[in-house]
Amino acid sequence: MKVRNVISLAAANLGREDLVASVEDCAAEPFGELASLLRCYNLVENEVALDYFPLETEETFAAADLQEGVLPFTAFSYAPVEILSVKGESGFPLSHKSRPDGLLVPQNTNGVRVSYTYSPKEKEWGDNAEVAPQVSERLLSFGVCCEYCLTNGQYAEAAMWEKKYREALRAANIGHKKLTVRSRRWA
């Protein structure tokens, strides 16, 4: 899904056909209200990724990436939020410790495979959304509407959009479990 589509849907939700037309016509860097909507989108995407549906990835690092037993966070492709696991090149778990500048791992390691959650990068106008598969354009547009109304001082409308946004988040998080009937027991 494209960032531009989410912002267009949010503008339509707000009843702002002028903004929908501006989204369609904007080919360059957005300005004014469109820039405000883009900022709101980035806030919502970051909130969804950090609080509700974490983005996970796994990277492999060579021994050359280690600096005196420390794997610097600057070597990661994304900004790590939480380290899930650290494994050696053979696949066995390694002891590790997080430090402010990086990840402390044993020095005699040839290679390291790190699984971690990360914070999404700030998006531009034509970028793709970086969210979990169960997050829809509609869910994101509700969050963008809420943030946009808050920044414009429309607190009653913001409360309404906040409620819709939270309900959509809850609905996306509901797991569809298989229903079973418990067996009867006779005493």
Side-chain angles (χ1 to χ4, degrees):
M1 86 182 75
K2 292 278 192 190
V3 171
R4 155 178 270 163
N5 296 344
V6 173
I7 292 174
S8 177
L9 184 57
N13 288 343
L14 291 167
R16 297 283 309 270
E17 295 305 321
D18 59 325
L19 283 179
V20 174
S22 297
V23 169
E24 301 300 324
D25 296 339
C26 186
E29 190 67 26
F31 62 93
E33 289 182 298
L34 292 182
S36 178
L37 282 170
L38 180 61
R39 185 183 58 76
C40 292
Y41 171 82
N42 282 315
L43 289 171
V44 170
E45 183 185 58
N46 201 25
E47 177 187 2
V48 168
L50 293 179
D51 296 340
Y52 299 101
F53 300 101
L55 300 171
E56 296 180 13
T57 190
E58 187 173 272
E59 285 188 66
T60 304
F61 300 95
D65 295 327
L66 299 174
Q67 299 171 1
E68 298 175 7
V70 176
L71 179 61
F73 289 133
T74 56
F76 287 76
S77 299
Y78 303 101
V81 173
E82 180 184 1
I83 303 298
L84 301 175
S85 70
V86 178
K87 297 178 181 176
E89 65 178 6
S90 61
F92 291 106
L94 293 176
S95 62
H96 64 281
K97 186 175 183 180
S98 291
R99 294 180 25 182
D101 59 340
L103 196 61
L104 183 64
V105 295
Q107 287 190 3
N108 59 354
T109 306
N110 291 333
V112 178
R113 191 169 62 223
V114 181
S115 177
Y116 62 97
T117 63
Y118 64 93
S119 174
K121 294 179 180 174
E122 193 166 302
K123 301 296 182 288
E124 295 298 324
W125 195 241
D127 291 345
N128 287 322
E130 197 172 359
V131 292
Q134 59 265 43
V135 177
S136 66
E137 285 183 358
R138 180 175 172 266
L139 186 153
L140 290 173
S141 73
F142 289 164
V144 171
C145 288
C146 175
E147 289 292 331
Y148 182 78
C149 289
L150 279 175
T151 59
N152 289 324
Q154 301 168 334
Y155 300 115
E157 291 89 356
M160 178 196 65
W161 288 113
E162 172 86 14
K163 183 179 179 207
K164 287 186 175 198
Y165 173 57
R166 299 293 171 203
E167 287 174 356
L169 280 170
R170 192 172 21 262
N173 201 18
I174 293 175
H176 298 287
K177 297 180 182 176
K178 185 177 178 182
L179 297 176
T180 59
V181 178
R182 296 179 69 193
S183 64
R184 292 187 175 181
R185 297 187 180 200
W186 301 96

